[in-house]
Amino acid sequence: MQISNSKALLLAVTILDAVNAHTTFTNFYVDQAPMGDGTCVRMSRDIPKATWPIRPINSQDMACGVNGDKGVARICPAKSGSELTFNFRDWPDGSQPGSLDKSHMGPCAVYMKKVENAAADNNAAGAGWFKIFEEDYDNSTAQWCTSKIMANDGKLSVKLPTDLAGGYYLVRSELLALHDADKNPADPQFYAGCAQVFLQSSGSSVPKDTVSIPGHVNMQHPAMTFHVWNKPKQFSFPQFGPPTYQGGSSKRAIDTRADQLEQTLGLKPANCIMENDNWCGLTLPSYSDEKGCWASSQKCWDQSKTCYDSAGPVGSKNCKNWESYCESIKNACASGNFNGPLSATSFMPPPPSRLSTSGFSPQSAPQTESEQASATQPKAETAPVTISANGDNSVEGGSVNTCGSNGGSKCASGYCCSSHGYCADQHRKSRPPDLLSPTTSSSTHHLTPYSIQPNPEPVYATAFHPSYTLQDPASTLYLASLRALPIRLYSCLPSPSSAVVASYPLISPTTEEYTAPHSLLFSPHHPQTFFAGAANLIAVFDINRYGHGEGPIERMRTAPGRGRSKRSGGGIKGIVSALGMSPEGYLAAGTFSRWIGLYDGHGRGGSVGAFELGPSGGTGITQVLWSADGRYLCVAERCSDGVSVWDIRGTGKRLAWLRGRKAETNQRLGVAVVEGGGEVWAGGMDGRVRVWEGLGLKEGVVDPGWGFRAHNGTYDDILYRL
């Protein structure tokens, strides 16, 4: 829907913890041999937040990160004196290059802890940790440890001590980014994760000087407020934590047991033929008749479901390969080939490559002065976008008039700032404390909008950042597509001078005029990326690359190529009017010409299918929404009385028609999938919201189960957030 010039956007939500390129430890190498993405690694399982820093620093998550109290199935072997190379990514699945943002300067360290079983739960937080490596600012090379990691493709290499007792260990990597340590309050950002390792060693030493994590550092320590932007750059960094363990000193001896010499736990199953994260696809039972064939096929699909269910931030690439293997067995059974199982060789990915060289280690070569300046000092044109809640737009590295920064004052309430140094109270002033309490008609709440923002041109599409939270309004950002203008990034809490934070030009190569997208979508898995849909095009943008001269980092043509039909999966033709991303990273794109295209690789891969909606329905797609399990796709159209539900992962056909939406208009009337209960909510022209329950459980024509009056006029939109 195009919104007229006189109609303002009414915005009453806050969003976004931070729009920074953070990082996480995703995989490691032992003596340059790859262990596999996510294999033997404890890391956050919350995909959208996997790269976020750990807060607060006295949290149990400081030991091995969020979800680090849960062991994973695999334990990787390493020998005494082996070199471990940790790999850090800001895109955990490796779909984009990069380790962390250039502004994230600070020290790094590696700790170890001896445990009875590295795959057991609840053994990370607490006493027993000792440090085997640390580095902060290197005066000889003018580099921080994190800067060296960035220069070495996100890799840090460390030698294991040679005299440690054999057995099971957690090996913990720790990065500390100090770019916001000068804020008030200070915001030191820790990134930690753990490798589960069995140390093959005949040694008998266990260090005496151990610490508890959390507890090895506190906010009173001068390192937590260290100012990395000070000049000159040569300085002494205040050490924290225990001294680094030196072989042959500060140790105690223990008796060598048999279980310390041979690994018996966390082994790769002997019949494992394909891996993803810590999941193993096991050899299927052999068969020679139809019953055995279908039984083996079912076991294959059961393992496929387990793979997808267990896939974490590093992705589900091999789950898809295993699914293709299962599909081939199913087809063989259907065609009468009952001798098997079929070989999985053709479906297996190529083995991961060994490292040709080690990552950064203390012996890394120095950089020149100009290289160091490029690697550490943030540049205005590429700095991550931030917006303070008191309305002062800024970029990372020193915001204006934020609480305690550059002479800024306290917030209006008197209590100061959020964890990012911004005023945290202004967003609450228009929200009654009893908002969700029962009311009568005579005591109906009258809400005051946080922001009313007129626009100079009609608005074609908007998109809010997926990680907003009412508890921490560090930024209130949304995208808007305006006719004949670049895509704009706005603040919901603007300064008096401007609400525009950044702009992203999308220019037609033929007319050299601005193209106004008809659909916008932030990637829920990689929030620093957003998609824009236009005529025969999906453009991909990096939120940190903005301004004149910048543009999309990728243009994906959606129209079918010459000689290929849309039915062949070659593409979709028309204006891309709706975009939606599944939990597994499949991008659905709908057009006003009523075609759906599907793209893998979190929207950055190839086309995996295209289909037309059919004769019944409306006059153009306005929304595409995935179910929480990623199986069903709900499609809403203009001039339509229903919502179609498609079984994407199963039959690939339309499953149901949710009738009675009352939306026979050219306006974009909103639809939402409520994740918890599998419900579809839709607004109608009569001001009512109708609800269909049991998404995916009913076939054919389905009437709404219940509804309610939400408005005296047309109910334009529904935004569902937990």
Side-chain angles (χ1 to χ4, degrees):
M1 176 182 68
Q2 296 183 10
I3 303 175
S4 65
N5 293 5
S6 60
K7 185 173 182 180
L9 292 176
L10 179 63
L11 305 171
V13 292
T14 55
I15 61 174
L16 188 63
D17 178 55
V19 189
N20 289 338
H22 296 312
T23 193
T24 190
F25 161 45
T26 58
N27 59 298
F28 68 105
Y29 301 75
V30 177
D31 294 326
Q32 301 183 349
M35 299 296 101
D37 279 9
T39 305
C40 306
V41 176
R42 297 189 184 191
M43 62 187 302
S44 171
R45 311 306 289 180
D46 187 344
I47 294 175
K49 301 179 182 178
T51 62
W52 287 19
I54 300 167
R55 297 189 178 100
I57 65 171
N58 59 356
S59 163
Q60 299 290 297
D61 298 336
M62 280 291 286
C64 288
V66 176
N67 304 128
D69 59 330
K70 302 293 184 183
V72 297
R74 295 284 302 281
I75 301 173
C76 292
K79 297 179 181 179
S80 172
S82 284
E83 181 182 70
L84 264 58
T85 301
F86 301 89
N87 193 32
F88 300 89
R89 298 172 178 163
D90 60 8
W91 294 67
D93 63 354
S95 59
Q96 294 294 312
S99 53
L100 68 163
D101 191 81
K102 295 177 181 179
S103 66
H104 286 37
M105 296 178 285
C108 49
V110 176
Y111 289 75
M112 294 180 70
K113 180 179 181 179
K114 197 172 191 309
V115 293
E116 288 295 319
N117 177 3
D121 295 342
N122 302 316
N123 60 1
W129 291 97
F130 57 96
K131 188 189 297 181
I132 64 167
F133 167 85
E134 67 178 352
E135 179 156 329
D136 44 73
Y137 186 76
D138 186 344
N139 283 306
S140 65
T141 63
Q143 288 179 292
W144 283 97
C145 181
T146 54
S147 303
K148 293 183 179 181
I149 291 174
M150 283 182 268
N152 283 275
D153 195 28
K155 294 177 175 62
L156 167 66
S157 293
V158 176
K159 292 280 189 180
L160 296 178
T162 58
D163 64 342
L164 290 179
Y168 298 96
Y169 287 84
L170 300 178
V171 186
R172 173 184 179 270
S173 62
E174 175 187 277
L175 306 185
L176 171 56
L178 294 168
H179 56 288
D180 275 349
D182 62 321
K183 295 290 192 295
N184 183 14
D187 184 21
Q189 296 183 8
F190 279 91
Y191 301 89
C194 290
Q196 298 181 172
V197 170
F198 178 80
L199 182 62
Q200 300 168 341
S201 173
S202 59
S204 60
S205 297
V206 176
K208 289 180 179 179
D209 294 327
T210 64
V211 294
S212 177
I213 301 179
H216 72 309
V217 67
N218 58 63
M219 288 302 299
Q220 285 67 50
H221 196 283
M224 299 302 100
T225 55
F226 192 85
H227 200 314
V228 294
W229 305 107
N230 276 341
K231 294 183 179 181
K233 290 186 176 181
Q234 292 200 1
F235 40 67
S236 177
F237 181 75
Q239 299 299 312
F240 63 93
T244 303
Y245 174 72
Q246 302 293 330
S249 64
S250 185
K251 63 183 180 181
R252 58 186 175 88
I254 62 172
D255 294 332
T256 301
R257 305 195 310 259
D259 63 355
Q260 296 169 348
L261 300 177
E262 182 178 357
Q263 181 178 354
T264 58
L265 303 171
L267 295 166
K268 177 180 176 179
N271 58 342
C272 176
I273 56 177
M274 194 179 298
E275 299 175 77
N276 191 85
D277 205 333
N278 290 278
W279 169 88
C280 265
L282 306 178
T283 304
L284 299 173
S286 59
Y287 52 85
S288 57
D289 56 25
E290 183 176 6
K291 181 179 179 181
C293 186
W294 287 112
S296 189
S297 174
Q298 185 59 50
K299 287 183 180 295
C300 190
W301 287 110
D302 290 344
Q303 291 192 62
S304 176
K305 181 179 185 302
T306 302
C307 184
Y308 280 114
D309 289 346
S310 64
V314 295
S316 55
K317 295 182 286 291
N318 283 348
C319 300
K320 183 178 179 181
N321 292 330
W322 185 265
E323 187 176 10
S324 299
Y325 175 49
C326 297
E327 188 71 26
S328 71
I329 294 176
K330 183 189 76 171
N331 293 338
C333 296
S335 63
N337 180 3
F338 304 137
N339 293 308
L342 302 176
S343 172
T345 302
S346 61
F347 301 95
M348 294 178 66
S353 302
R354 290 178 59 89
L355 285 179
S356 57
T357 58
S358 300
F360 149 64
S361 64
Q363 291 76 37
S364 294
Q367 280 185 309
T368 66
E369 181 75 20
S370 60
E371 289 172 333
Q372 171 60 16
S374 174
T376 59
Q377 186 64 32
K379 298 178 181 179
E381 65 271 20
T382 59
V385 177
T386 62
I387 175 70
S388 65
N390 61 11
D392 294 303
N393 302 344
S394 65
V395 295
E396 195 70 66
S399 55
V400 179
N401 198 29
T402 56
C403 186
S405 174
N406 297 337
S409 59
K410 289 187 177 181
C411 301
S413 65
Y415 60 86
C416 197
C417 302
S418 71
S419 60
H420 289 274
Y422 308 120
C423 298
D425 57 307
Q426 289 197 8
H427 76 293
R428 296 187 178 92
K429 65 183 180 183
S430 299
R431 186 181 63 182
D434 57 344
L435 176 63
L436 300 181
S437 302
T439 63
T440 64
S441 58
S442 61
S443 62
T444 301
H445 290 302
H446 295 280
L447 301 181
T448 302
Y450 302 140
S451 178
I452 299 177
Q453 297 177 5
N455 287 279
E457 294 288 342
V459 177
Y460 285 26
T462 58
F464 291 88
H465 196 280
S467 299
Y468 77 85
T469 169
L470 290 174
Q471 285 70 42
D472 186 9
S475 258
T476 55
L477 305 180
Y478 72 98
L479 293 165
S481 167
L482 281 70
R483 183 181 63 188
L485 289 172
I487 302 166
R488 288 182 169 184
L489 182 67
Y490 282 101
S491 166
C492 295
L493 300 174
S495 67
S497 59
S498 176
V500 180
V501 180
S503 62
Y504 307 88
L506 180 60
I507 299 175
S508 168
T510 54
T511 66
E512 296 186 352
E513 296 179 347
Y514 289 121
T515 298
H518 284 258
S519 55
L520 293 167
L521 175 72
F522 274 107
S523 170
H525 307 103
H526 306 297
Q528 62 267 50
T529 299
F530 70 87
F531 300 86
N536 301 321
L537 174 70
I538 298 174
V540 187
F541 290 83
D542 183 337
I543 196 172
N544 293 320
R545 295 178 57 177
Y546 54 88
H548 180 72
E550 292 290 350
I553 57 177
E554 185 176 351
R555 291 174 179 258
M556 299 191 298
R557 305 300 302 181
T558 58
R562 181 173 297 178
R564 293 184 297 168
S565 69
K566 287 180 281 190
R567 297 185 185 276
S568 70
I572 54 175
K573 189 174 182 179
I575 294 174
V576 178
S577 52
L579 295 166
M581 186 81 73
S582 78
E584 297 164 353
Y586 289 95
L587 177 68
T591 68
F592 280 143
S593 55
R594 307 187 68 243
W595 278 83
I596 295 285
L598 300 173
Y599 303 85
D600 61 9
H602 298 281
R604 308 290 300 278
S607 171
V608 295
F611 59 90
E612 192 174 16
L613 295 187
S616 62
T619 60
I621 297 170
T622 56
Q623 268 184 287
V624 286
L625 304 106
W626 292 89
S627 62
D629 61 1
R631 175 166 180 170
Y632 303 106
L633 183 68
C634 300
V635 181
E637 297 187 75
R638 58 190 180 186
C639 297
S640 170
D641 189 48
V643 176
S644 58
V645 180
W646 296 77
D647 187 352
I648 299 298
R649 196 190 296 169
T651 64
K653 299 179 180 179
R654 194 173 88 171
L655 176 73
W657 174 255
L658 309 184
R659 183 175 61 184
R661 182 184 169 207
K662 306 297 182 185
E664 294 173 329
T665 173
N666 278 323
Q667 290 180 294
R668 289 179 180 251
L669 299 193
V671 176
V673 174
V674 179
E675 300 174 3
E679 299 174 346
V680 176
W681 293 36
M685 289 290 294
D686 56 358
R688 292 187 61 83
V689 174
R690 293 170 175 84
V691 180
W692 293 262
E693 298 175 306
L695 175 59
L697 301 180
K698 300 176 183 179
E699 299 183 13
V701 177
V702 182
D703 291 316
W706 58 284
F708 59 92
R709 178 168 294 281
H711 198 273
N712 290 328
T714 301
Y715 202 82
D716 287 351
D717 202 4
I718 294 176
L719 177 64
Y720 171 73
R721 291 286 183 186
L722 287 176

